Amino acid sequence: MRIGIVCYPTFGGSGVLATELGKALANKNHQVHFITYQQPVRLNEFNANIFYHEVHVPTYPLFDYPPYETALSSAMVDVAMNHKLDLLHVHYAIPHASAAYMAKKILEKEGIKIPVITTLHGTDITLVGRDKTYAPVVTFSMNESDAITAVSQNLKDETFKFFKIEKDIEVIHNFVDVSRFRKKPIDAFRKVIAPNNERIVLHASNFRKVKRIPDVVKVFAEIRKELPAKLLFVGDGPERPMAEEMCRQLDLYGDIRFVGKQEQMEEILAVSDLFLLTSEYESFGLAALEAMAAGVPVISTNAGGIPEIQLQGKTGYMSNLGDVKEMSEHAIHILKEDSVLQEFKKRAAKHAATFDIHNIVPQYEELYNRFL
Ligand code: GMT
């Protein structure tokens, strides 16, 4: 198949998932065309079946807001025509679903019929999309998509709750390439972060409000009272300066490292002992799944789709939003004894395998086939 993939090329989960999907499809001999405004961060290897088409959004003195969506539709038309695409798969509804609708209509005039599949990822529905600034366009373009998928049952339910959707939404969970996350820890790396063999606690995100970064710091502060530990913050975003200030005020700065955006998550996860995900909402929680795949247990909230991946008391623990006390107790329970930690690690890795790339990618292929 010749598949066009549209996504945000940044470190966000939707872009990561879309890129990993494209790479997996290319490895299965499909021809994959990424249509994005930058090289996707996870698109870091050569593959003869992968093509990258950059969307240029020219500026002009008249434009306070250069029309990305128009440029994107034009790029989709161009790639679809010149590379004879069989379908377009757009990730994150805003504005990719409406841009795809426009492209589809233009192609129809040229006698080309091309199915559009829209995958909903999270805040495109639960936060941004629901806002009345976007809702009518999001609703219309979802209904005009040939198929809609959501990354969890919870996100599907939320979509039906807030939008008038006239067709079914298929749930296709996020996936992980388990083999990639089975890395041996690099001792030298571990030593740099935890020179005295302290436990390593990890949080990775785009540091937005929805992630509740202060709760991460508070949980870590409680862990530190009970045992030697270091906290690694991976990623960057609007809440980072506040988090740094909070760590200084709590006199924790010496035990916390902000390492910024990182591409080699598997190496960082390989030296980590616990992943913290205190979000007020996660449609799925791909970062937590990647942690589990690397054998890192997860302390999280029970928000959104997280209960679809976590096994309470087995792969980690889930607590109500903001229940820092319970999250801290659970974290300490996991980290205190080596034997307990090892059991959690084993179970986390085992359960993550149910979301392995080989189980999930065929679900997308099967969906594509239905529309060809
Ligand atoms: O919605 C976001 O925060 C951004 C979004 C993205 O595009 O990066 O992340 C969402 O998509 C991921 C991949 O499907 C999910 O694993 C994340 O849980 C989800 N984030 C939220 O729902 C907050």
Side-chain angles (χ1 to χ4, degrees):
M1 265 179 258
R2 285 183 289 265
I3 303 152
I5 291 187
V6 175
C7 65
Y8 284 106
T10 51
F11 277 89
S14 63
V16 168
L17 198 277
T19 310
E20 296 297 347
L21 174 62
K23 288 182 344 193
L25 291 166
N27 286 335
K28 296 181 96 176
N29 264 332
H30 299 291
Q31 202 181 83
V32 177
H33 293 261
F34 284 96
I35 308 167
T36 55
Y37 62 79
Q38 245 171 43
Q39 173 113 354
V41 284
R42 289 264 180 115
L43 194 56
N44 46 13
E45 65 196 28
F46 175 76
N47 185 317
N49 287 330
I50 294 181
F51 297 77
Y52 164 58
H53 308 272
E54 189 160 312
V55 180
H56 294 282
V57 191
T59 53
Y60 181 68
L62 188 65
F63 298 155
D64 279 341
Y65 305 99
Y68 164 62
E69 192 172 337
T70 306
L72 178 60
S73 296
S74 298
M76 285 192 240
V77 170
D78 181 67
V79 177
M81 286 173 84
N82 288 316
H83 295 272
K84 306 206 167 6
L85 294 187
D86 294 310
L87 63 87
L88 279 165
H89 187 175
V90 302
H91 293 259
Y92 204 88
I94 307 167
H96 299 156
S98 47
Y101 170 74
M102 175 64 96
K104 184 179 162 146
K105 287 287 152 194
I106 296 169
L107 288 162
E108 259 173 37
K109 285 258 180 221
E110 300 294 326
I112 299 169
K113 270 196 88 154
I114 185 159
V116 169
I117 290 166
T118 298
T119 290
L120 311 174
H121 280 274
T123 51
D124 46 351
I125 294 303
T126 58
L127 208 72
V128 196
R130 237 149 77 176
D131 191 290
K132 71 175 192 297
T133 324
Y134 299 112
V137 175
V138 173
T139 310
F140 175 81
S141 48
M142 277 195 281
N143 281 324
E144 289 296 323
S145 296
D146 294 274
I148 314 170
T149 76
V151 299
S152 64
Q153 181 62 42
N154 173 271
L155 185 60
K156 173 178 174 172
D157 297 343
E158 291 292 305
T159 310
F160 279 120
K161 213 187 289 169
F162 292 102
F163 297 87
K164 274 208 177 91
I165 300 299
E166 295 152 1
K167 51 175 45 136
D168 189 26
I169 298 178
E170 302 191 30
V171 175
I172 303 183
H173 282 126
N174 282 180
F175 60 84
V176 65
D177 182 353
V178 165
S179 65
R180 223 187 78 201
F181 286 88
R182 281 198 195 121
K183 283 244 168 197
K184 279 221 153 30
I186 303 173
D187 282 343
F189 181 35
R190 207 192 145 93
K191 275 235 149 63
V192 172
I193 300 159
N196 300 310
N197 213 18
E198 296 92 340
R199 298 291 195 213
I200 297 178
V201 179
L202 177 68
H203 172 81
S205 76
N206 43 23
F207 284 68
R208 281 177 296 157
K209 273 220 147 49
V210 69
K211 305 290 173 183
R212 302 261 301 202
I213 304 291
D215 287 358
V216 175
V217 179
K218 287 181 203 162
V219 171
F220 180 70
E222 292 305 311
I223 296 173
R224 266 301 282 108
K225 286 182 194 159
E226 290 295 318
L227 48 98
K230 300 282 181 187
L231 173 62
L232 262 188
F233 268 122
V234 175
D236 210 339
E239 294 284 285
R240 179 173 160 179
M242 176 280 304
E244 293 207 38
E245 185 51 33
M246 190 174 168
C247 296
R248 276 191 209 98
Q249 277 175 8
L250 293 174
D251 203 18
L252 287 170
Y253 209 82
D255 288 324
I256 301 184
R257 267 185 187 229
F258 289 84
V259 295
K261 294 177 180 171
Q262 297 288 330
E263 280 174 39
Q264 300 307 321
M265 271 316 285
E266 52 273 38
E267 254 127 50
I268 296 173
L269 285 163
V271 298
S272 302
D273 297 305
L274 188 72
F275 190 84
L276 295 181
L277 190 67
T278 54
S279 307
E280 66 185 57
Y281 183 79
E282 286 294 336
S283 63
F284 182 90
L286 181 58
L289 178 63
E290 291 190 340
M292 284 160 57
V296 180
V298 176
I299 291 291
S300 69
T301 56
N302 51 16
I306 298 176
E308 292 174 50
I309 57 168
Q310 271 261 55
L311 297 178
Q312 182 73 330
K314 291 196 162 72
T315 59
Y317 287 99
M318 293 171 284
S319 299
N320 290 333
L321 176 64
D323 193 343
V324 169
K325 185 171 174 287
E326 189 181 275
M327 286 191 257
S328 310
E329 285 164 6
H330 285 150
I332 292 161
H333 167 68
I334 293 176
L335 292 173
K336 208 151 196 176
E337 299 291 333
D338 264 339
S339 56
V340 176
L341 177 59
Q342 290 315 319
E343 285 306 309
F344 273 94
K345 281 183 177 245
K346 260 191 244 150
R347 288 191 299 251
K350 187 167 175 231
H351 185 57
T354 51
F355 298 94
D356 186 46
I357 196 163
H358 300 298
N359 299 333
I360 308 287
V361 172
Q363 297 178 30
Y364 281 112
E365 287 176 291
E366 192 272 320
L367 174 69
Y368 295 165
N369 273 320
R370 258 187 276 146
F371 288 93
L372 293 183

